[in-house]
């Protein structure tokens, strides 16, 4: 098991190197206010056989879980997905994937509605074949926590790996997002956990030790150099090597770059923290202060069966990060909600909602099917927005109180009856970002903190930069949750008996009326025939 821990603090913070003490193969950190990413990589020999059997069926498997609670991103961890459980998957050629869904239900809980990839997953459209990091299929479900994953690790993986594994699992409870990645090239399973701050008010206070709490034969130490070259050396021994970085963002030297400076330490190998400063190209950035930097989401009332999702932005400034940028939103819609692609194909209708065009739509789009007849998990939609100050055409949907908004019409499928006559549908907040074409000659190489397979990144070219807007920290209705709840009227089960009786009565009455009419016609024909016969005999 290889470990990398990265702390990123604000450059203006009163950080003192004395907060880092390295001695006796242990690094002690005191009162450090910083964001934190923990990255752990498992070799195939360290995984349970049931997990390895499933991974052998996958060409690549990527899981992105994001908390339902709002949080502030920190560079270089800027990339976002909608809250919930996202899975991106490419199967091995000529191999069955029959084991994937049963394992997902076991690891993440039986509430995960995964029957099989063929029946449940949707195909992921890719507009650029050169963007090889995009998976073939996508799955999504709103998942409040990773409690089942914690239980699985504690019972199946950590007993053989020791306390370090258990400490990693504890971090899932306060994580803002967790990434799990596997591909056939690396033949390793990596898990990254991000927390934008310490759960304790005093900051991070802990002792990171390389002691022999994990009994493994080999350990790989990964170091990041000035040119962000990743190398490694393998050394045997009972202890483990942990790379720890305490860094701060520095002014970048190039537009597409991020720069970090601070201290790097390999616990168990170095005698003291080493100062470092390095830059690397990055696809994902925070939207700059000179542009729109935040948004909020709400549903227009009354919602009914045709809710309208409203994205609200500050009226100024409206300037994009660059002239090649366009503002987009990416929606992940559970099966109960769906867009009408025909409605969203009208330029006049789109202009009235401050929308420019529907860029991509994948998944369930049947306009008539009830929710219980839909086998796929839902749909994913990419929409380009039309900020009013940047368009040559007039805007017909200006906001109020110095704000502007974009409205996205949605529709709700018919749900099963309930005793109360009401059901609840939940809609995760979409992500909003500027998509900008990088300058010619830009090297968009993968960096140590890069996130790919997010659903929307494969819909753009390989040299696209994303400037992400922050969702409002107060969340929906001031709850801090990035999920909108919709009260849906459904048939009340106590009234179904009257509906059934009424339906039978109407059908029976209609049948008797048809028989009576047919009988009337036949009797009329018989009387006419008898009358004609009498006239002939006379």
């Amino acid at each position: 098991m290889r470990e990398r821990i990265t702390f990123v603090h604000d450059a203006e913070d009163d950080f003192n190197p004395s907060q880092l003490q390295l001695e006796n193969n242990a690094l002690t950190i005191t009162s450090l206010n910083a964001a934190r990413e923990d990255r752990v990589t498992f070799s195939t020999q360290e995984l349970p056989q049931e997990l390895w059997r499933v991974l052998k069926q996958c060409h690549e498997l990527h899981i992105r879980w994001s908390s339902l609670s709002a949080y502030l991103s920190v560079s270089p961890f800027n990339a976002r997905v909608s809250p919930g459980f996202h899975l991106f998957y490419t199967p091995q050629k000529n191999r069955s994937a029959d084991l994937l869904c049963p394992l997902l239900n076991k690891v993440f809980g039986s509430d995960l509605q995964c029957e099989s990839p063929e029946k449940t997953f949707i195909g992921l459209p890719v507009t650029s074949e050169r963007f090889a990091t995009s998976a073939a299929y996508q799955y999504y479900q709103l998942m409040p926590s990773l409690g089942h994953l914690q239980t699985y690790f504690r019972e199946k993986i950590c007993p053989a790996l020791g306390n370090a594994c258990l400490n990693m699992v504890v971090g899932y409870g306060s994580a803002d997002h967790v990434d799990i990645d596997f591909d056939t090239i690396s033949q390793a399973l990596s898990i990254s956990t991000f927390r934008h701050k310490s759960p304790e008010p005093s900051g991070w206070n802990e002792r990171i030790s390389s002691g022999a709490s994990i009994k493994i034969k080999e350990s790989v130490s990964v170091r990041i150099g000035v040119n962000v070259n990743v190398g490694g050396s393998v050394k045997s021994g009972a202890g483990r090597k942990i790379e720890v970085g305490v860094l701060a963002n520095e002014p970048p030297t190039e537009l597409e770059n991020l720069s970090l400076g601070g201290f790097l330490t390999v616990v168990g190998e170095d005698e003291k923290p080493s100062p470092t400063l390095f830059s690397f190209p990055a696809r994902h950035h925070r939207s700059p202060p000179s542009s729109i930097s935040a948004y909020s989401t709400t549903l227009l009332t009354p919602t009914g069966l045709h809710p309208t999702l409203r994205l609200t932005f500050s009226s100024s400034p409206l300037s994009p990060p660059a002239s090649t940028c366009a503002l987009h939103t990416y929606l992940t819609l559970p099966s109960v909600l769906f867009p009408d692609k025909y409605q969203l194909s009208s330029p006049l209708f789109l202009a009235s909602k401050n929308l420019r065009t529907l860029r991509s739509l994948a998944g369930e789009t049947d306009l008539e099917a009830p929710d219980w007849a839909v086998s796929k998990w839902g749909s994913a939609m990419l929409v380009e927005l039309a900020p009013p100050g940047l368009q040559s055409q007039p805007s017909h949907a200006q906001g109020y109180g110095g704000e502007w908004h974009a409205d996205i019409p949605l529709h709700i499928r018919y749900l099963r009856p309930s005793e109360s006559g009401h059901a609840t549908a939940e809609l995760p907040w979409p992500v909003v970002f500027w998509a900008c074409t990088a300058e010619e000659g830009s090297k968009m190489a993968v960096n140590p903190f890069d996130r790919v397979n997010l659903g929307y990144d494969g819909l753009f070219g390989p040299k696209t930069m994303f400037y992400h807007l922050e969702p409002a920290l107060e969340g929906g209705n001031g709850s801090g949750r990035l999920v909108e709840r919709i009260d849906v009227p459904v048939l009340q089960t106590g009234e179904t008996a009257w509906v059934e009786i009424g339906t039978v009565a109407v059908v029976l009455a209609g049948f008797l009326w048809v028989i009576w009419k047919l009988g009337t016609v036949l009797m009329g024909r018989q009387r006419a025939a008898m009358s004609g016969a009498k006239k002939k005999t006379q």
Side-chain angles (χ1 to χ4, degrees):
M1 188 173 82
R2 309 192 305 263
E3 297 177 70
R4 186 188 77 194
I5 304 174
T6 306
F7 297 92
V8 179
H9 62 87
D10 196 330
E12 285 75 28
D13 284 349
D14 294 329
F15 170 74
N16 193 310
S18 63
Q19 294 174 255
L20 308 178
Q21 296 294 329
L22 181 62
E23 56 184 4
N24 299 325
N25 290 331
L27 177 66
T28 302
I29 298 176
T30 56
S31 303
L32 179 61
N33 293 310
R36 172 174 178 168
E37 184 202 49
D38 292 75
R39 182 178 177 86
V40 180
T41 303
F42 298 93
S43 66
T44 56
Q45 293 79 12
E46 296 170 315
L47 301 176
Q49 282 300 309
E50 63 175 356
L51 180 55
W52 174 231
R53 283 196 297 268
V54 173
L55 294 178
K56 286 192 293 185
Q57 296 181 341
C58 305
H59 177 71
E60 59 178 326
L61 180 68
H62 309 278
I63 293 174
R64 308 283 179 257
W65 178 86
S66 184
S67 171
L68 274 61
S69 300
Y71 68 90
L72 281 174
S73 65
V74 177
S75 294
F77 312 109
N78 297 303
R80 288 182 175 268
V81 294
S82 293
F85 175 90
H86 305 253
L87 183 144
F88 303 95
Y89 159 75
T90 301
Q92 286 277 30
K93 290 183 178 180
N94 304 320
R95 283 197 183 182
S96 170
D98 57 320
L99 300 177
L100 179 57
C101 279
L103 180 69
L104 291 175
N105 291 325
K106 182 176 182 179
V107 175
F108 294 97
S110 57
D111 292 339
L112 201 69
Q113 299 171 3
C114 182
E115 186 176 351
S116 70
E118 295 79 10
K119 294 182 179 179
T120 311
F121 295 4
I122 67 172
L124 190 64
V126 179
T127 57
S128 174
E129 295 296 333
R130 295 180 301 166
F131 203 80
T133 54
S134 296
Y137 298 98
Q138 179 181 7
Y139 174 79
Y140 171 79
Q141 184 166 323
L142 197 64
M143 183 183 292
S145 71
L146 295 176
H148 291 284
L149 178 64
Q150 290 176 291
T151 301
Y152 182 84
F153 264 81
R154 280 195 295 262
E155 295 178 354
K156 298 293 185 179
I157 298 179
C158 292
L161 297 178
N163 293 333
C165 179
L166 293 173
N167 293 335
M168 174 193 70
V169 171
V170 171
Y172 297 160
S174 59
D176 295 310
H177 65 71
V178 174
D179 292 352
I180 303 176
D181 295 279
F182 172 83
D183 62 78
T184 54
I185 299 175
S186 66
Q187 288 290 298
L189 182 75
S190 63
I191 304 178
S192 300
T193 306
F194 172 77
R195 287 167 280 182
H196 76 283
K197 66 176 182 178
S198 169
E200 300 297 330
S202 59
W204 300 103
N205 294 277
E206 58 184 271
R207 187 172 184 269
I208 302 171
S209 172
S210 64
S213 58
I214 300 179
K215 296 181 180 179
I216 56 178
K217 293 183 180 180
E218 295 180 331
S219 177
V220 178
S221 62
V222 181
R223 304 210 58 171
I224 305 175
V226 174
N227 296 320
V228 203
N229 296 321
V230 179
S233 58
V234 179
K235 297 184 179 182
S236 61
R240 71 188 194 279
K241 306 296 187 294
I242 310 171
E243 180 188 1
V244 181
V246 180
L247 308 169
N249 281 286
E250 302 290 343
T253 56
E254 301 290 342
L255 179 63
E256 68 272 14
N257 284 3
L258 292 175
S259 295
L260 295 174
F263 296 90
L264 290 179
T265 303
V266 177
V267 180
E269 183 177 291
D270 292 346
E271 296 181 356
K272 64 178 182 178
S274 303
T276 186
L277 176 65
F278 57 92
S279 298
F280 51 89
R283 290 186 179 90
H284 299 279
H285 304 254
R286 288 187 67 173
S287 185
S290 60
S291 180
I292 306 170
S293 59
Y295 69 99
S296 62
T297 296
T298 188
L299 291 168
L300 300 184
T301 56
T303 54
L305 294 176
H306 305 279
T308 297
L309 180 69
R310 169 163 290 183
L311 301 174
T312 303
F313 306 88
S314 172
S315 60
S316 62
L318 287 177
S319 58
S323 59
T324 61
C325 299
L327 189 62
H328 293 78
T329 182
Y330 186 74
L331 293 89
T332 309
L333 303 173
S335 60
V336 65
L337 291 154
F338 67 96
D340 184 346
K341 58 183 178 181
Y342 304 104
Q343 185 182 34
L344 294 174
S345 63
S346 168
L348 290 177
F349 178 81
L350 291 172
S352 70
K353 305 296 182 183
N354 272 349
L355 309 176
R356 175 171 288 277
T357 186
L358 174 63
R359 290 293 184 190
S360 173
L361 177 59
E364 289 287 358
T365 57
D366 191 320
L367 304 181
E368 304 297 336
D371 187 52
W372 59 84
V374 174
S375 61
K376 305 292 186 182
W377 63 263
S379 57
M381 178 171 62
L382 177 69
V383 179
E384 183 179 343
L385 307 181
L390 301 180
Q391 310 304 320
S392 57
Q393 60 189 10
S395 173
H396 303 285
Q398 296 295 334
Y400 303 96
E403 298 176 338
W404 71 275
H405 56 254
D407 293 339
I408 302 175
L410 301 172
H411 307 274
I412 297 179
R413 300 188 185 278
Y414 293 113
L415 302 178
R416 294 186 182 277
S418 69
E419 293 184 0
S420 63
H422 294 270
T424 299
E426 293 187 312
L427 171 62
W429 280 32
V431 291
V432 181
F433 54 86
W434 294 98
C436 312
T437 303
E439 296 180 357
E440 287 294 329
S442 299
K443 297 180 180 180
M444 304 301 292
V446 175
N447 67 69
F449 309 105
D450 205 8
R451 294 182 80 193
V452 294
N453 285 287
L454 305 172
Y456 53 85
D457 52 349
L459 302 175
F460 298 89
K463 289 193 174 182
T464 301
M465 296 172 61
F466 302 95
Y467 290 86
H468 294 267
L469 279 67
E470 297 284 316
L473 292 179
E474 60 270 17
N477 298 320
S479 64
R481 298 176 77 249
L482 302 180
V483 178
E484 297 294 329
R485 297 174 64 89
I486 308 172
D487 183 46
V488 184
V490 299
L491 180 63
Q492 195 168 0
T493 52
E495 303 295 331
T496 56
W498 293 104
V499 174
E500 294 172 358
I501 294 173
T503 302
V504 172
V506 170
V507 172
L508 182 59
F511 175 75
L512 294 176
W513 181 82
V514 172
I515 295 297
W516 176 66
K517 283 295 184 181
L518 290 175
T520 302
V521 172
L522 291 175
M523 291 176 63
R525 289 181 178 179
Q526 289 178 354
R527 284 196 295 268
M530 292 175 62
S531 176
K534 287 182 180 180
K535 289 181 180 180
K536 287 182 180 181
T537 54
Q538 292 177 355

